[in-house]
Amino acid sequence: MDKSQNTSYQAGEAKGQAQEKAGNMADKASNAAQSAKESCQEAGQQMKDKAQGACDAVKDKVGANK
């Protein structure tokens, strides 16, 4: 392999490694976004449940939950 071929090979290797790193970073970002989405959905559901419980407690107090 002459110097030109070796340089081309090394450039191709570097490009492949950069693409692999970029793919891994994109996967990590996607996983983080999915985790954040799930956390927000869970927090929203908890808030909804608490609000419903408070509403039911008020209805019980005023006798409107019969």
Side-chain angles (χ1 to χ4, degrees), residues 8-63:
S8 292
Y9 174 80
Q10 289 176 346
E13 283 286 306
K15 180 182 177 185
Q17 289 174 0
Q19 288 173 333
E20 180 67 21
K21 286 181 182 179
N24 288 340
M25 289 175 63
D27 288 345
K28 287 181 182 179
S30 177
N31 290 342
Q34 182 65 27
S35 179
K37 176 184 172 186
E38 291 170 2
S39 294
C40 288
Q41 287 174 334
E42 185 176 330
Q45 185 62 46
Q46 288 174 355
M47 290 174 63
K48 180 181 172 187
D49 292 345
K50 286 181 181 181
Q52 184 63 51
C55 185
D56 289 344
V58 170
K59 286 180 180 179
D60 287 344
K61 282 284 187 187
V62 298

